[in-house]
Amino acid sequence: MYPEPVRHAPAQQAVEVHQPTPITPAVMAPGPVVPVQPGVVPSVASIVLPDGRVVTGYAINPAQPEPVVARPPVSRAAVNVALGGVGFFAVCGGLLLLTTFITALTALITQLITLAAVIFGGFIAVQVFKPHGHQGGTTVNIRKAIFKRNHFNG
Protein backbone atom coordinates (compact mmCIF):
# COMPACT_ATOMS: atom_id res chain seq x y z
CA MET A 1 0.00 0.00 0.00
CA TYR A 2 2.84 2.39 0.80
CA PRO A 3 5.92 2.64 -1.42
CA GLU A 4 9.10 1.20 -0.07
CA PRO A 5 11.60 3.81 1.15
CA VAL A 6 14.57 4.36 -1.14
CA ARG A 7 17.91 3.96 0.59
CA HIS A 8 20.95 5.81 -0.77
CA ALA A 9 24.54 5.02 -0.12
CA PRO A 10 26.39 7.54 2.11
CA ALA A 11 28.46 8.76 -0.87
CA GLN A 12 25.31 9.81 -2.73
CA GLN A 13 23.98 12.09 0.01
CA ALA A 14 24.79 15.74 -0.62
CA VAL A 15 26.30 17.72 2.24
CA GLU A 16 26.10 21.49 2.26
CA VAL A 17 28.58 23.45 4.30
CA HIS A 18 27.61 26.95 5.31
CA GLN A 19 30.32 29.42 6.17
CA PRO A 20 29.37 32.40 8.38
CA THR A 21 29.51 35.76 6.68
CA PRO A 22 31.09 38.57 8.70
CA ILE A 23 28.75 41.46 9.44
CA THR A 24 30.08 44.78 8.34
CA PRO A 25 29.17 47.64 10.66
CA ALA A 26 26.81 50.27 9.30
CA VAL A 27 28.53 53.41 8.10
CA MET A 28 27.37 56.34 10.18
CA ALA A 29 28.24 60.00 10.01
CA PRO A 30 30.91 60.76 12.56
CA GLY A 31 29.50 62.66 15.49
CA PRO A 32 31.00 64.11 18.58
CA VAL A 33 32.17 61.36 20.89
CA VAL A 34 31.59 62.04 24.54
CA PRO A 35 33.71 59.83 26.74
CA VAL A 36 31.88 58.43 29.72
CA GLN A 37 33.82 56.92 32.56
CA PRO A 38 32.09 54.00 34.23
CA GLY A 39 31.88 54.10 37.98
CA VAL A 40 33.30 50.58 38.28
CA VAL A 41 35.49 48.98 35.65
CA PRO A 42 33.78 45.75 34.63
CA SER A 43 35.74 42.62 33.94
CA VAL A 44 36.62 42.02 30.29
CA ALA A 45 36.45 38.54 28.80
CA SER A 46 38.30 37.43 25.67
CA ILE A 47 37.41 34.36 23.63
CA VAL A 48 39.59 32.80 20.95
CA LEU A 49 37.49 31.38 18.11
CA PRO A 50 38.57 28.20 16.25
CA ASP A 51 39.68 30.24 13.22
CA GLY A 52 42.11 32.26 15.36
CA ARG A 53 40.06 35.45 15.79
CA VAL A 54 39.81 36.94 19.28
CA VAL A 55 36.51 38.35 20.52
CA THR A 56 36.70 40.62 23.52
CA GLY A 57 33.67 41.79 25.46
CA TYR A 58 32.28 42.41 28.85
CA ALA A 59 31.12 39.43 30.82
CA ILE A 60 27.44 39.54 31.62
CA ASN A 61 26.53 37.97 34.88
CA PRO A 62 23.31 35.97 34.62
CA ALA A 63 20.42 37.45 36.54
CA GLN A 64 19.88 35.64 39.79
CA PRO A 65 16.22 35.12 40.69
CA GLU A 66 15.02 36.43 44.00
CA PRO A 67 15.01 33.76 46.66
CA VAL A 68 11.57 32.42 47.39
CA VAL A 69 10.44 33.53 50.80
CA ALA A 70 8.51 30.84 52.60
CA ARG A 71 5.07 32.11 53.50
CA PRO A 72 3.70 31.21 56.88
CA PRO A 73 0.88 28.71 56.66
CA VAL A 74 -2.64 30.08 57.05
CA SER A 75 -4.87 28.15 59.40
CA ARG A 76 -8.25 26.85 58.22
CA ALA A 77 -9.94 28.65 61.09
CA ALA A 78 -8.61 32.01 59.90
CA VAL A 79 -9.83 31.32 56.36
CA ASN A 80 -13.25 30.27 57.64
CA VAL A 81 -13.53 33.38 59.82
CA ALA A 82 -12.58 35.62 56.89
CA LEU A 83 -15.05 33.96 54.53
CA GLY A 84 -17.75 34.07 57.20
CA GLY A 85 -17.17 37.79 57.66
CA VAL A 86 -17.46 38.40 53.92
CA GLY A 87 -20.68 36.38 53.79
CA PHE A 88 -22.10 38.19 56.82
CA PHE A 89 -21.46 41.62 55.29
CA ALA A 90 -22.94 40.48 51.98
CA VAL A 91 -26.13 39.34 53.75
CA CYS A 92 -26.30 42.59 55.74
CA GLY A 93 -26.00 44.60 52.53
CA GLY A 94 -28.73 42.55 50.88
CA LEU A 95 -31.06 43.02 53.86
CA LEU A 96 -30.36 46.75 53.85
CA LEU A 97 -31.27 46.93 50.17
CA LEU A 98 -34.41 44.85 50.81
CA THR A 99 -35.61 47.09 53.65
CA THR A 100 -34.87 50.18 51.56
CA PHE A 101 -36.92 48.72 48.69
CA ILE A 102 -39.83 47.87 51.02
CA THR A 103 -39.76 51.38 52.52
CA ALA A 104 -39.77 52.99 49.07
CA LEU A 105 -42.62 50.73 47.91
CA THR A 106 -44.66 51.60 51.03
CA ALA A 107 -44.13 55.33 50.39
CA LEU A 108 -45.21 54.91 46.76
CA ILE A 109 -48.40 53.05 47.72
CA THR A 110 -49.20 55.68 50.38
CA GLN A 111 -48.79 58.47 47.82
CA LEU A 112 -51.01 56.66 45.30
CA ILE A 113 -53.74 56.17 47.93
CA THR A 114 -53.50 59.85 48.91
CA LEU A 115 -53.69 60.91 45.26
CA ALA A 116 -56.78 58.73 44.69
CA ALA A 117 -58.42 60.15 47.84
CA VAL A 118 -57.74 63.73 46.72
CA ILE A 119 -59.11 63.12 43.22
CA PHE A 120 -62.18 61.19 44.44
CA GLY A 121 -62.77 63.66 47.28
CA GLY A 122 -62.60 66.55 44.82
CA PHE A 123 -65.18 64.85 42.62
CA ILE A 124 -67.52 64.35 45.58
CA ALA A 125 -67.00 67.96 46.73
CA VAL A 126 -67.93 69.26 43.27
CA GLN A 127 -71.12 67.17 43.32
CA VAL A 128 -72.09 68.28 46.81
CA PHE A 129 -71.38 71.99 46.41
CA LYS A 130 -72.81 72.32 42.89
CA PRO A 131 -75.70 74.82 42.75
CA HIS A 132 -79.14 73.11 42.84
CA GLY A 133 -80.80 75.31 40.24
CA HIS A 134 -82.30 73.60 37.24
CA GLN A 135 -81.01 70.05 37.22
CA GLY A 136 -81.06 67.97 34.09
CA GLY A 137 -83.22 64.88 33.69
CA THR A 138 -86.91 64.08 33.59
CA THR A 139 -89.30 65.19 36.31
CA VAL A 140 -91.82 62.50 37.19
CA ASN A 141 -95.03 63.29 39.02
CA ILE A 142 -95.45 60.27 41.22
CA ARG A 143 -99.04 61.15 42.27
CA LYS A 144 -100.34 60.66 38.74
CA ALA A 145 -98.38 57.46 38.11
CA ILE A 146 -100.02 54.07 38.21
CA PHE A 147 -98.22 51.15 39.80
CA LYS A 148 -99.32 47.71 38.66
CA ARG A 149 -97.49 44.58 39.68
CA ASN A 150 -94.13 46.27 40.22
CA HIS A 151 -94.33 48.11 36.88
CA PHE A 152 -94.29 51.83 36.66
CA ASN A 153 -96.71 53.20 34.04
CA GLY A 154 -96.47 56.89 33.78
Side-chain angles (χ1 to χ4, degrees):
M1 183 160 137
Y2 294 106
E4 290 295 322
V6 179
R7 307 230 184 257
H8 297 287
Q12 292 178 347
Q13 292 179 349
V15 177
E16 287 186 34
V17 178
H18 296 282
Q19 295 294 332
T21 314
I23 300 175
T24 57
V27 178
M28 297 178 60
V33 178
V34 179
V36 177
Q37 294 294 331
V40 177
V41 178
S43 60
V44 177
S46 296
I47 299 173
V48 178
L49 297 177
D51 61 357
R53 291 182 294 163
V54 177
V55 177
T56 304
Y58 295 108
I60 299 175
N61 296 330
Q64 296 294 328
E66 292 290 326
V68 178
V69 178
R71 295 184 299 176
V74 179
S75 68
R76 286 183 156 250
V79 171
N80 290 339
V81 167
L83 291 176
V86 170
F88 175 76
F89 286 119
V91 168
C92 288
L95 289 176
L96 179 67
L97 288 175
L98 181 65
T99 54
T100 304
F101 175 74
I102 291 173
T103 305
L105 189 62
T106 305
L108 176 68
I109 291 172
T110 304
Q111 288 179 353
L112 289 176
I113 291 172
T114 305
L115 179 66
V118 167
I119 291 174
F120 186 70
F123 175 73
I124 297 297
V126 166
Q127 296 301 319
V128 169
F129 294 117
K130 186 165 62 170
H132 294 293
H134 176 49
Q135 295 180 350
T138 305
T139 303
V140 177
N141 190 349
I142 295 178
R143 289 183 186 168
K144 294 182 181 179
I146 301 170
F147 292 93
K148 288 187 179 178
R149 292 186 185 177
N150 295 331
H151 291 295
F152 176 73
N153 298 314

mmCIF file of all heavy atoms in Angstrom, residues 62-95:
data_model
loop_
_atom_site.group_PDB
_atom_site.id
_atom_site.type_symbol
_atom_site.label_atom_id
_atom_site.label_comp_id
_atom_site.label_asym_id
_atom_site.label_seq_id
_atom_site.Cartn_x
_atom_site.Cartn_y
_atom_site.Cartn_z
ATOM 1 N N PRO A 62 24.727 36.335 34.756
ATOM 2 C CA PRO A 62 23.313 35.971 34.615
ATOM 3 C C PRO A 62 22.504 36.515 35.790
ATOM 4 O O PRO A 62 22.992 36.599 36.906
ATOM 5 C CB PRO A 62 23.324 34.444 34.593
ATOM 6 C CG PRO A 62 24.609 34.067 35.245
ATOM 7 C CD PRO A 62 25.581 35.180 34.964
ATOM 8 N N ALA A 63 21.285 36.904 35.486
ATOM 9 C CA ALA A 63 20.424 37.451 36.537
ATOM 10 C C ALA A 63 20.029 36.340 37.497
ATOM 11 O O ALA A 63 19.584 35.278 37.083
ATOM 12 C CB ALA A 63 19.182 38.072 35.915
ATOM 13 N N GLN A 64 20.222 36.610 38.756
ATOM 14 C CA GLN A 64 19.875 35.644 39.786
ATOM 15 C C GLN A 64 18.440 35.909 40.234
ATOM 16 O O GLN A 64 18.093 37.035 40.555
ATOM 17 C CB GLN A 64 20.822 35.779 40.985
ATOM 18 C CG GLN A 64 22.265 35.458 40.665
ATOM 19 C CD GLN A 64 22.450 33.991 40.315
ATOM 20 O OE1 GLN A 64 21.747 33.133 40.825
ATOM 21 N NE2 GLN A 64 23.387 33.718 39.433
ATOM 22 N N PRO A 65 17.591 34.887 40.219
ATOM 23 C CA PRO A 65 16.215 35.120 40.686
ATOM 24 C C PRO A 65 16.187 35.389 42.180
ATOM 25 O O PRO A 65 17.071 34.954 42.917
ATOM 26 C CB PRO A 65 15.493 33.818 40.346
ATOM 27 C CG PRO A 65 16.566 32.796 40.303
ATOM 28 C CD PRO A 65 17.816 33.509 39.836
ATOM 29 N N GLU A 66 15.172 36.134 42.576
ATOM 30 C CA GLU A 66 15.018 36.431 43.999
ATOM 31 C C GLU A 66 14.730 35.131 44.743
ATOM 32 O O GLU A 66 13.998 34.276 44.248
ATOM 33 C CB GLU A 66 13.857 37.405 44.199
ATOM 34 C CG GLU A 66 14.121 38.790 43.645
ATOM 35 C CD GLU A 66 15.166 39.524 44.456
ATOM 36 O OE1 GLU A 66 15.209 39.329 45.681
ATOM 37 O OE2 GLU A 66 15.954 40.269 43.853
ATOM 38 N N PRO A 67 15.305 34.978 45.902
ATOM 39 C CA PRO A 67 15.012 33.760 46.663
ATOM 40 C C PRO A 67 13.540 33.751 47.080
ATOM 41 O O PRO A 67 12.963 34.782 47.406
ATOM 42 C CB PRO A 67 15.943 33.844 47.880
ATOM 43 C CG PRO A 67 16.283 35.285 47.992
ATOM 44 C CD PRO A 67 16.225 35.857 46.597
ATOM 45 N N VAL A 68 12.970 32.580 47.026
ATOM 46 C CA VAL A 68 11.566 32.424 47.387
ATOM 47 C C VAL A 68 11.457 32.465 48.904
ATOM 48 O O VAL A 68 12.125 31.716 49.604
ATOM 49 C CB VAL A 68 11.009 31.091 46.846
ATOM 50 C CG1 VAL A 68 9.561 30.906 47.276
ATOM 51 C CG2 VAL A 68 11.137 31.048 45.341
ATOM 52 N N VAL A 69 10.629 33.397 49.365
ATOM 53 C CA VAL A 69 10.436 33.528 50.802
ATOM 54 C C VAL A 69 9.293 32.604 51.195
ATOM 55 O O VAL A 69 8.210 32.649 50.607
ATOM 56 C CB VAL A 69 10.102 34.995 51.165
ATOM 57 C CG1 VAL A 69 9.852 35.128 52.658
ATOM 58 C CG2 VAL A 69 11.215 35.913 50.706
ATOM 59 N N ALA A 70 9.536 31.790 52.153
ATOM 60 C CA ALA A 70 8.511 30.844 52.601
ATOM 61 C C ALA A 70 7.413 31.624 53.326
ATOM 62 O O ALA A 70 7.687 32.399 54.245
ATOM 63 C CB ALA A 70 9.122 29.800 53.530
ATOM 64 N N ARG A 71 6.200 31.432 52.860
ATOM 65 C CA ARG A 71 5.072 32.113 53.499
ATOM 66 C C ARG A 71 4.620 31.293 54.699
ATOM 67 O O ARG A 71 4.630 30.053 54.647
ATOM 68 C CB ARG A 71 3.923 32.281 52.523
ATOM 69 C CG ARG A 71 4.269 33.189 51.373
ATOM 70 C CD ARG A 71 3.095 33.422 50.484
ATOM 71 N NE ARG A 71 2.644 32.136 49.920
ATOM 72 C CZ ARG A 71 1.584 31.993 49.158
ATOM 73 N NH1 ARG A 71 0.852 33.028 48.873
ATOM 74 N NH2 ARG A 71 1.238 30.814 48.682
ATOM 75 N N PRO A 72 4.196 31.975 55.733
ATOM 76 C CA PRO A 72 3.700 31.205 56.882
ATOM 77 C C PRO A 72 2.375 30.555 56.514
ATOM 78 O O PRO A 72 1.587 31.118 55.757
ATOM 79 C CB PRO A 72 3.521 32.268 57.971
ATOM 80 C CG PRO A 72 3.379 33.549 57.239
ATOM 81 C CD PRO A 72 4.179 33.406 55.970
ATOM 82 N N PRO A 73 2.135 29.379 56.999
ATOM 83 C CA PRO A 73 0.875 28.707 56.663
ATOM 84 C C PRO A 73 -0.312 29.437 57.289
ATOM 85 O O PRO A 73 -0.205 30.014 58.364
ATOM 86 C CB PRO A 73 1.050 27.308 57.259
ATOM 87 C CG PRO A 73 2.059 27.475 58.331
ATOM 88 C CD PRO A 73 2.972 28.592 57.888
ATOM 89 N N VAL A 74 -1.424 29.438 56.562
ATOM 90 C CA VAL A 74 -2.642 30.077 57.053
ATOM 91 C C VAL A 74 -3.548 28.983 57.584
ATOM 92 O O VAL A 74 -3.792 27.980 56.908
ATOM 93 C CB VAL A 74 -3.342 30.851 55.914
ATOM 94 C CG1 VAL A 74 -4.623 31.499 56.404
ATOM 95 C CG2 VAL A 74 -2.404 31.896 55.340
ATOM 96 N N SER A 75 -4.040 29.187 58.788
ATOM 97 C CA SER A 75 -4.872 28.149 59.400
ATOM 98 C C SER A 75 -6.260 28.137 58.753
ATOM 99 O O SER A 75 -6.741 29.146 58.238
ATOM 100 C CB SER A 75 -5.004 28.395 60.904
ATOM 101 O OG SER A 75 -5.759 29.566 61.125
ATOM 102 N N ARG A 76 -6.902 26.983 58.785
ATOM 103 C CA ARG A 76 -8.249 26.851 58.220
ATOM 104 C C ARG A 76 -9.235 27.712 58.993
ATOM 105 O O ARG A 76 -10.178 28.251 58.430
ATOM 106 C CB ARG A 76 -8.696 25.390 58.260
ATOM 107 C CG ARG A 76 -8.005 24.551 57.236
ATOM 108 C CD ARG A 76 -8.539 23.130 57.277
ATOM 109 N NE ARG A 76 -8.313 22.533 55.982
ATOM 110 C CZ ARG A 76 -9.266 22.246 55.119
ATOM 111 N NH1 ARG A 76 -10.504 22.499 55.420
ATOM 112 N NH2 ARG A 76 -8.987 21.710 53.955
ATOM 113 N N ALA A 77 -9.024 27.849 60.279
ATOM 114 C CA ALA A 77 -9.942 28.651 61.093
ATOM 115 C C ALA A 77 -9.910 30.106 60.643
ATOM 116 O O ALA A 77 -10.955 30.759 60.539
ATOM 117 C CB ALA A 77 -9.570 28.535 62.567
ATOM 118 N N ALA A 78 -8.720 30.621 60.344
ATOM 119 C CA ALA A 78 -8.612 32.014 59.898
ATOM 120 C C ALA A 78 -9.307 32.201 58.553
ATOM 121 O O ALA A 78 -10.002 33.202 58.328
ATOM 122 C CB ALA A 78 -7.145 32.420 59.802
ATOM 123 N N VAL A 79 -9.160 31.236 57.663
ATOM 124 C CA VAL A 79 -9.831 31.316 56.361
ATOM 125 C C VAL A 79 -11.335 31.268 56.543
ATOM 126 O O VAL A 79 -12.079 32.052 55.942
ATOM 127 C CB VAL A 79 -9.346 30.165 55.444
ATOM 128 C CG1 VAL A 79 -10.176 30.104 54.176
ATOM 129 C CG2 VAL A 79 -7.877 30.346 55.099
ATOM 130 N N ASN A 80 -11.815 30.375 57.401
ATOM 131 C CA ASN A 80 -13.252 30.271 57.643
ATOM 132 C C ASN A 80 -13.814 31.539 58.268
ATOM 133 O O ASN A 80 -14.903 31.989 57.921
ATOM 134 C CB ASN A 80 -13.563 29.061 58.527
ATOM 135 C CG ASN A 80 -13.330 27.758 57.786
ATOM 136 O OD1 ASN A 80 -13.323 27.735 56.562
ATOM 137 N ND2 ASN A 80 -13.124 26.688 58.528
ATOM 138 N N VAL A 81 -13.078 32.137 59.188
ATOM 139 C CA VAL A 81 -13.535 33.381 59.818
ATOM 140 C C VAL A 81 -13.600 34.499 58.779
ATOM 141 O O VAL A 81 -14.565 35.272 58.728
ATOM 142 C CB VAL A 81 -12.619 33.765 61.003
ATOM 143 C CG1 VAL A 81 -12.890 35.184 61.460
ATOM 144 C CG2 VAL A 81 -12.814 32.786 62.146
ATOM 145 N N ALA A 82 -12.589 34.576 57.921
ATOM 146 C CA ALA A 82 -12.581 35.623 56.893
ATOM 147 C C ALA A 82 -13.740 35.436 55.915
ATOM 148 O O ALA A 82 -14.455 36.392 55.582
ATOM 149 C CB ALA A 82 -11.244 35.613 56.152
ATOM 150 N N LEU A 83 -13.950 34.213 55.448
ATOM 151 C CA LEU A 83 -15.055 33.961 54.527
ATOM 152 C C LEU A 83 -16.404 34.186 55.200
ATOM 153 O O LEU A 83 -17.346 34.693 54.580
ATOM 154 C CB LEU A 83 -14.965 32.541 53.971
ATOM 155 C CG LEU A 83 -13.794 32.285 53.016
ATOM 156 C CD1 LEU A 83 -13.772 30.819 52.614
ATOM 157 C CD2 LEU A 83 -13.890 33.167 51.802
ATOM 158 N N GLY A 84 -16.513 33.821 56.462
ATOM 159 C CA GLY A 84 -17.755 34.068 57.201
ATOM 160 C C GLY A 84 -18.038 35.552 57.339
ATOM 161 O O GLY A 84 -19.179 35.994 57.215
ATOM 162 N N GLY A 85 -16.993 36.340 57.571
ATOM 163 C CA GLY A 85 -17.174 37.793 57.663
ATOM 164 C C GLY A 85 -17.631 38.388 56.350
ATOM 165 O O GLY A 85 -18.524 39.237 56.303
ATOM 166 N N VAL A 86 -17.041 37.917 55.243
ATOM 167 C CA VAL A 86 -17.455 38.404 53.922
ATOM 168 C C VAL A 86 -18.909 38.032 53.666
ATOM 169 O O VAL A 86 -19.706 38.859 53.204
ATOM 170 C CB VAL A 86 -16.520 37.829 52.826
ATOM 171 C CG1 VAL A 86 -17.078 38.113 51.443
ATOM 172 C CG2 VAL A 86 -15.136 38.412 52.960
ATOM 173 N N GLY A 87 -19.290 36.807 53.974
ATOM 174 C CA GLY A 87 -20.679 36.383 53.787
ATOM 175 C C GLY A 87 -21.636 37.172 54.663
ATOM 176 O O GLY A 87 -22.724 37.567 54.223
ATOM 177 N N PHE A 88 -21.249 37.432 55.914
ATOM 178 C CA PHE A 88 -22.102 38.194 56.824
ATOM 179 C C PHE A 88 -22.348 39.601 56.283
ATOM 180 O O PHE A 88 -23.486 40.086 56.272
ATOM 181 C CB PHE A 88 -21.448 38.255 58.205
ATOM 182 C CG PHE A 88 -22.189 39.118 59.187
ATOM 183 C CD1 PHE A 88 -23.353 38.675 59.776
ATOM 184 C CD2 PHE A 88 -21.715 40.383 59.510
ATOM 185 C CE1 PHE A 88 -24.043 39.471 60.677
ATOM 186 C CE2 PHE A 88 -22.395 41.177 60.400
ATOM 187 C CZ PHE A 88 -23.560 40.727 60.997
ATOM 188 N N PHE A 89 -21.291 40.264 55.818
ATOM 189 C CA PHE A 89 -21.458 41.621 55.291
ATOM 190 C C PHE A 89 -22.261 41.622 53.995
ATOM 191 O O PHE A 89 -23.012 42.558 53.722
ATOM 192 C CB PHE A 89 -20.106 42.299 55.103
ATOM 193 C CG PHE A 89 -19.480 42.728 56.404
ATOM 194 C CD1 PHE A 89 -18.266 42.226 56.806
ATOM 195 C CD2 PHE A 89 -20.149 43.606 57.243
ATOM 196 C CE1 PHE A 89 -17.704 42.604 58.015
ATOM 197 C CE2 PHE A 89 -19.592 44.001 58.455
ATOM 198 C CZ PHE A 89 -18.367 43.496 58.851
ATOM 199 N N ALA A 90 -22.135 40.562 53.202
ATOM 200 C CA ALA A 90 -22.943 40.478 51.984
ATOM 201 C C ALA A 90 -24.420 40.335 52.328
ATOM 202 O O ALA A 90 -25.284 40.987 51.722
ATOM 203 C CB ALA A 90 -22.476 39.297 51.126
ATOM 204 N N VAL A 91 -24.737 39.515 53.330
ATOM 205 C CA VAL A 91 -26.133 39.338 53.746
ATOM 206 C C VAL A 91 -26.670 40.634 54.348
ATOM 207 O O VAL A 91 -27.809 41.036 54.079
ATOM 208 C CB VAL A 91 -26.244 38.159 54.746
ATOM 209 C CG1 VAL A 91 -27.612 38.129 55.413
ATOM 210 C CG2 VAL A 91 -25.984 36.854 54.023
ATOM 211 N N CYS A 92 -25.857 41.318 55.151
ATOM 212 C CA CYS A 92 -26.296 42.592 55.738
ATOM 213 C C CYS A 92 -26.592 43.613 54.648
ATOM 214 O O CYS A 92 -27.592 44.334 54.722
ATOM 215 C CB CYS A 92 -25.230 43.136 56.693
ATOM 216 S SG CYS A 92 -25.120 42.208 58.229
ATOM 217 N N GLY A 93 -25.752 43.673 53.642
ATOM 218 C CA GLY A 93 -26.001 44.603 52.533
ATOM 219 C C GLY A 93 -27.272 44.255 51.788
ATOM 220 O O GLY A 93 -28.059 45.137 51.424
ATOM 221 N N GLY A 94 -27.506 42.962 51.563
ATOM 222 C CA GLY A 94 -28.732 42.545 50.883
ATOM 223 C C GLY A 94 -29.971 42.889 51.695
ATOM 224 O O GLY A 94 -30.980 43.349 51.154
ATOM 225 N N LEU A 95 -29.917 42.669 53.014
ATOM 226 C CA LEU A 95 -31.056 43.019 53.864
ATOM 227 C C LEU A 95 -31.291 44.521 53.897
ATOM 228 O O LEU A 95 -32.432 44.988 53.912
ATOM 229 C CB LEU A 95 -30.841 42.484 55.287
ATOM 230 C CG LEU A 95 -30.936 40.965 55.436
ATOM 231 C CD1 LEU A 95 -30.610 40.553 56.867
ATOM 232 C CD2 LEU A 95 -32.318 40.490 55.056
#
